[in-house]
């Protein structure tokens, strides 16, 4: 595709539910990044992949957060047993390589009630 | 750890005028990259400009230019001939150089730019 796409764009979950957020990177981009953006704040790093390998997951806030990219293309960020503090916009970015400029998707706005 | 600070939560500029957005950062590294991203209300972050720390020349992209002061750890964005479409949140971001082994971006808290007609 022409750009990074994310789905769903909006997600409302009840506290305790599991959610899955999808990211489709730009075709040919081997690196993929996830960021969390709380209201009124800048994005904060969660994790990144090089192809299917998850190289850094130091930003994941708890073991309820899990990301995967099994075939080195589409990635899914899963949040188990959602809490109200998980409410945020989740941004995905991709790049040709780890050293290249990151291009961002439109984000998924998650609201946990 | 590296930090990025944007001290202006909000700025306003008249259409066709010039505005400068401030960004300072803290790092002990000598090799790194700095970015300005624009985030319109649709939330798609768009790269505005990129600067490599080892380059002394300030980056320029059409109406957008930076004033990169490495010793002062300052990286301001100047927007000339402001247009209504420039209205957005602007984020300053830092990325360590290739020798660091990390490729994540560190963002500031953003500056909301309003353009007045």
């Amino acid at each position: 595709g022409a750009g990074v796409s994310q789905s769903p764009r909006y997600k409302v979950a009840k506290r305790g539910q599991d959610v899955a957020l999808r990211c489709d990177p730009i075709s040919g981009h081997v690196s993929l990044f996830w960021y969390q953006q709380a209201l009124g704040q800048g994005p904060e790093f969660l994790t990144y992949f090089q192809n299917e390998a998850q190289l850094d997951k130091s930003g994941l806030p708890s073991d309820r957060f899990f990301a995967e990219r099994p075939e080195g293309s589409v990635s899914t960020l899963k949040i188990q047993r959602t809490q109200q503090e998980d409410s945020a916009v989740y941004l995905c970015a991709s790049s040709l390589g780890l050293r290249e400029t990151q291009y961002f998707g439109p984000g998924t706005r998650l609201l946990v009630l | 750890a590296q930090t990025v600070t944007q001290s202006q939560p909000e700025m306003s500029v008249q259409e066709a005028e010039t505005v400068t957005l401030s960004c300072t950062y803290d790092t002990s590294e000598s090799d790194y990259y700095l970015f300005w991203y624009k985030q319109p209300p649709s939330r798609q972050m768009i790269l505005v400009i990129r600067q490599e720390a080892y380059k002394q020349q300030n980056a320029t992209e059409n109406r957008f230019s930076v004033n990169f002061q490495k010793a002062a750890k300052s990286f301001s964005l100047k927007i000339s001939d402001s247009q209504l479409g420039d209205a957005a949140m602007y984020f300053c971001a830092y990325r360590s150089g290739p020798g660091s082994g990390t490729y994540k971006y560190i963002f500031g808290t953003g500056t909301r730019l309003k353009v007045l007609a």
Side-chain angles (χ1 to χ4, degrees):
Chain A
V4 178
S5 60
Q6 293 186 245
S7 61
R9 291 294 310 275
Y10 302 93
K11 176 70 178 178
V12 179
K14 292 183 179 179
R15 187 160 54 94
Q17 283 185 331
D18 297 349
V19 298
L21 312 180
R22 176 187 168 105
C23 173
D24 282 87
I26 294 171
S27 179
H29 280 198
V30 298
S31 303
L32 187 147
F33 300 77
W34 284 99
Y35 294 85
Q36 180 190 59
Q37 186 176 19
L39 188 64
Q41 300 296 313
E44 291 193 356
F45 168 77
L46 294 176
T47 184
Y48 67 75
F49 294 84
Q50 177 78 340
N51 295 304
E52 69 279 4
Q54 189 174 20
L55 300 183
D56 187 345
K57 54 181 181 180
S58 62
L60 296 176
S62 77
D63 58 8
R64 296 186 296 104
F65 287 70
F66 174 75
E68 60 183 5
R69 196 186 185 199
E71 298 179 359
S73 178
V74 171
S75 178
T76 304
L77 176 66
K78 297 179 179 178
I79 309 173
Q80 298 177 325
R81 304 181 303 282
T82 52
Q83 303 294 317
Q84 285 188 323
E85 60 263 28
D86 300 336
S87 296
V89 174
Y90 290 85
L91 297 171
C92 176
S94 71
S95 59
L96 280 170
L98 289 173
R99 301 180 182 185
E100 304 302 320
T101 297
Q102 296 176 26
Y103 295 89
F104 285 80
T108 294
R109 182 185 293 275
L110 173 65
L111 177 62
V112 181
L113 302 177
Chain B
Q2 295 80 26
T3 58
V4 176
T5 301
Q6 293 180 252
S7 59
Q8 305 156 317
E10 190 171 292
M11 294 282 286
S12 295
V13 62
Q14 287 290 140
E15 201 175 2
E17 296 296 309
T18 296
V19 64
T20 298
L21 308 184
S22 301
C23 173
T24 58
Y25 57 95
D26 189 26
T27 185
S28 59
E29 299 173 332
S30 59
D31 187 18
Y32 49 87
Y33 300 84
L34 297 164
F35 306 83
W36 278 99
Y37 277 87
K38 169 185 177 181
Q39 189 177 44
S42 68
R43 292 209 168 264
Q44 187 102 30
M45 296 261 283
I46 303 165
L47 177 67
V48 175
I49 203 163
R50 160 185 163 134
Q51 174 82 43
E52 289 90 349
Y54 62 86
K55 289 187 177 179
Q56 292 186 339
Q57 186 173 7
N58 290 325
T60 299
E61 287 289 340
N62 301 314
R63 298 183 294 107
F64 299 86
S65 61
V66 298
N67 183 5
F68 173 48
Q69 300 289 329
K70 191 172 184 179
K73 297 179 183 174
S74 171
F75 183 61
S76 60
L77 175 69
K78 185 172 83 170
I79 306 173
S80 304
D81 185 25
S82 296
Q83 300 175 359
L84 294 177
D86 295 334
M89 282 291 287
Y90 286 80
F91 289 97
C92 179
Y94 173 103
R95 202 202 82 198
S96 297
S100 69
T102 182
Y103 300 95
K104 63 184 179 185
Y105 283 9
I106 299 168
F107 286 89
T109 52
T111 295
R112 181 174 300 282
L113 179 65
K114 296 184 176 181
V115 181
L116 309 174

